[in-house]
């Protein structure tokens, strides 16, 4: 029964993934759900395929991951997991097909408040260079000369981590806005690889490369591809995927080498880093099979997620981020004693907070979120929302508060301004005029009036 369901999940999800990719390449106005489906396939379905092609991970490299072995070998857990993820994939694809059929190939777009701000060359430059300026002004350059060594970078001042992460995300957002709005091909093709290398070096985490790839892929396919570009992209995608996996392997072997750098150990860590099947199956076993609790009360980490902006000084009983309770459960220690964090996933978070009802929430929530994103009718606004959803599925969202803040600011300003103009004055002179301008979705950026 388990093998049958596993292969049903692999085959059906692979077909949905190919169809989603085809929709993205052929139709620049395809639903945002197609992009999300690719992420779900990567983190939830590819690991199941790897179980049959390579084998189940042994989890011997890092001791606390050995707790996943039990849930990975439990047939009931495997059956629940397959049905759960398969339902998520199918419903998301059904919504994407419905959207693609309903929407016209040409729809109007409204430029967001942030897009209008970035039309100002000074603000654009400052946004792109913000992480570098922070290092220079803060005198922290020497701490970032070694790649990926967090203890050297953040030794005593842990708030640098959060500030740098936020500024790096702002820089990525601004850079690719510039990259896809300028016609200077020679210049941007030279600075693109340099920019990626520098940002990856500053961040020191492999996931930033995936974020950059997602942002680039989104903007690239949203501009409308020529026949030649459509043919090339089918060749580029597997090459890029191979490069990312290769980089992750080199990272584990040479940059932050483990005690054991054998193929089995590297495979184990790649499964933990990229896949989310392990934590989802672990939570299913703990909550559904063993009737144990992971979060302090029903919906507690959802409250922490929604009200992340409220400081603990004002809300002393505020729940901690979900990964804290997940790691505490995995290690069987107090939340105050966890040495590191286990990467969470939206799908297991729903189950941990709501039990059996969490399956339903996990299945219907992402398509609903994608539907709301599709209604935004703004390229840059949708991009931010896509990154946030991707982080919800694969990461702890605390480090991505910059995108959340930009998203909220745009929403509030858009509701206030609507069709009104906002004029910024300095020294009696108008330096920037912002307004909601309706344009066709050909990805031509309106030049702000400066």
């Amino acid at each position: 029964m388990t093998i049958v369901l596993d292969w049903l999940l692999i085959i059906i999800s692979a077909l949905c993934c190919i169809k989603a990719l085809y929709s993205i390449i052929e139709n620049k106005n395809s639903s945002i759900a197609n992009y999300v489906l690719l992420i779900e396939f990567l983190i939830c379905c590819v690991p199941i395929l790897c179980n049959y092609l390579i084998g189940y991970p042994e989890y011997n490299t890092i001791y606390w991951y050995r707790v996943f072995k039990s849930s990975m070998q439990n047939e009931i857990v495997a059956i629940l997991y397959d049905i759960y993820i398969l339902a998520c994939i199918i419903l998301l694809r059904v919504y994407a097909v419905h959207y693609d059929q309903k929407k016209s190939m040409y729809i109007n777009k409204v430029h967001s408040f942030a897009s209008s701000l970035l039309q100002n060359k000074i603000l654009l430059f400052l946004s792109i260079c913000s992480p570098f300026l922070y290092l220079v002004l803060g005198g922290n350059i020497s701490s970032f000369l070694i790649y990926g060594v967090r203890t050297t970078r953040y030794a005593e001042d842990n708030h640098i981590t959060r500030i740098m992460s936020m500024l790096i995300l702002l820089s990525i957002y601004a850079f690719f806005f510039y990259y896809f709005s300028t016609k200077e091909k020679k210049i941007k093709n030279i600075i693109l690889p340099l920019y990626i290398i520098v940002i990856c070096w500053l961040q020191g985490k492999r996931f930033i490369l995936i974020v950059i790839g997602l942002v680039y892929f989104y903007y690239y396919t949203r501009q409308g591809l020529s026949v030649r570009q459509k043919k090339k992209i089918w060749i580029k995608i597997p090459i890029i995927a191979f490069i990312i996996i290769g980089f992750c392997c080199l990272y584990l072997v040479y940059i932050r080498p483990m005690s054991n750098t054998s193929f089995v150990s590297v495979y184990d860590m790649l499964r933990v880093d990229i896949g989310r099947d392990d934590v989802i199956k672990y939570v299913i076993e703990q909550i559904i099979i063993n009737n144990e609790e992971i979060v302090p009360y029903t919906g507690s980490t959802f409250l922490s997620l929604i009200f992340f902006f409220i400081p603990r000084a004002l809300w002393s009983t505020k729940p901690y981020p979900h990964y804290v309770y997940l790691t505490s459960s995995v290690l069987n220690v107090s939340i105050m004693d966890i040495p590191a964090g286990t990467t969470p996933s939206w799908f297991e978070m729903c189950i941990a907070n709501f039990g059996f009802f969490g399956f339903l929430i996990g299945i219907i929530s992402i398509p609903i979120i994608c539907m709301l994103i599709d209604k935004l009718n703004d390229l840059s606004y949708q991009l931010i929302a896509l990154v946030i959803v991707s982080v919800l599925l694969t990461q702890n969202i605390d480090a991505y508060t910059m995108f959340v803040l930009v998203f909220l600011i745009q929403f509030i300003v858009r509701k206030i301004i609507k069709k009104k103009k906002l004029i910024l004055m300095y020294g009696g002179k108008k330096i920037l005029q912002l307004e909601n301008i309706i344009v066709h979705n050909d990805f031509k950026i309106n030049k702000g009036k400066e």
Side-chain angles (χ1 to χ4, degrees), residues 15-35:
L15 291 174
C16 290
C17 180
I18 294 171
K19 290 289 187 180
L21 192 56
Y22 180 82
S23 297
I24 292 171
I25 294 172
E26 294 296 327
N27 179 11
K28 65 180 178 182
N29 292 321
S30 65
S31 170
I32 209 78
N34 288 311
Y35 295 87

Side-chain angles (χ1 to χ4, degrees), residues 172-241:
I172 292 172
Y173 176 71
F175 175 81
F176 283 99
F177 176 90
Y178 158 77
Y179 183 87
F180 283 99
S181 62
T182 182
K183 295 182 179 179
E184 301 171 355
K185 293 183 178 180
K186 292 183 179 180
I187 296 177
K188 67 181 186 180
N189 288 336
I190 293 174
I191 64 175
L192 177 62
L194 295 175
Y195 176 81
I196 292 175
I197 292 171
V198 173
I199 285 296
C200 288
W201 184 284
L202 290 179
Q203 175 57 256
K205 284 189 172 184
R206 289 158 289 170
F207 190 75
I208 199 65
L209 190 60
I210 298 175
V211 171
I212 291 174
L214 178 64
V215 173
Y216 181 90
F217 181 66
Y218 171 82
Y219 268 145
Y220 182 73
T221 53
R222 284 305 213 200
Q223 67 181 339
L225 304 178
S226 65
V227 176
R228 185 181 178 184
Q229 287 174 317
K230 290 175 182 178
K231 291 180 179 179
K232 282 186 175 182
I233 200 170
W234 287 106
I235 300 173
K236 290 180 179 180
I237 288 174
I239 294 175
I240 293 172

Side-chain angles (χ1 to χ4, degrees), residues 60-117:
N60 290 324
T61 306
I62 298 180
Y63 72 92
W64 66 73
Y65 292 145
R66 294 171 191 169
V67 72
F68 294 148
K69 280 188 175 182
S70 172
S71 55
M72 293 289 280
Q73 297 170 358
N74 190 307
E75 290 191 7
I76 298 177
V77 170
I79 291 171
L80 291 173
Y81 175 87
D82 288 344
I83 296 173
Y84 182 32
I85 301 303
L86 188 57
C88 293
I89 293 284
I90 292 175
L91 184 61
L92 193 60
R93 180 57 191 160
V94 167
Y95 164 72
V97 170
H98 173 72
Y99 177 88
D100 289 348
Q101 292 175 344
K102 184 179 178 181
K103 298 299 289 186
S104 168
M105 285 292 290
Y106 298 98
I107 57 177
N108 289 333
K109 295 287 180 180
V110 182
H111 284 316
S112 65
F113 175 68
S115 299
S116 300
L117 280 177

Side-chain angles (χ1 to χ4, degrees), residues 242-261:
F242 178 79
I243 291 173
I244 292 175
I245 293 174
F247 173 75
C248 291
C249 292
L250 292 174
Y251 184 95
L252 293 170
V253 175
Y254 296 106
I255 299 173
R256 295 187 67 183
M258 304 171 292
S259 57
N260 183 355
T261 56

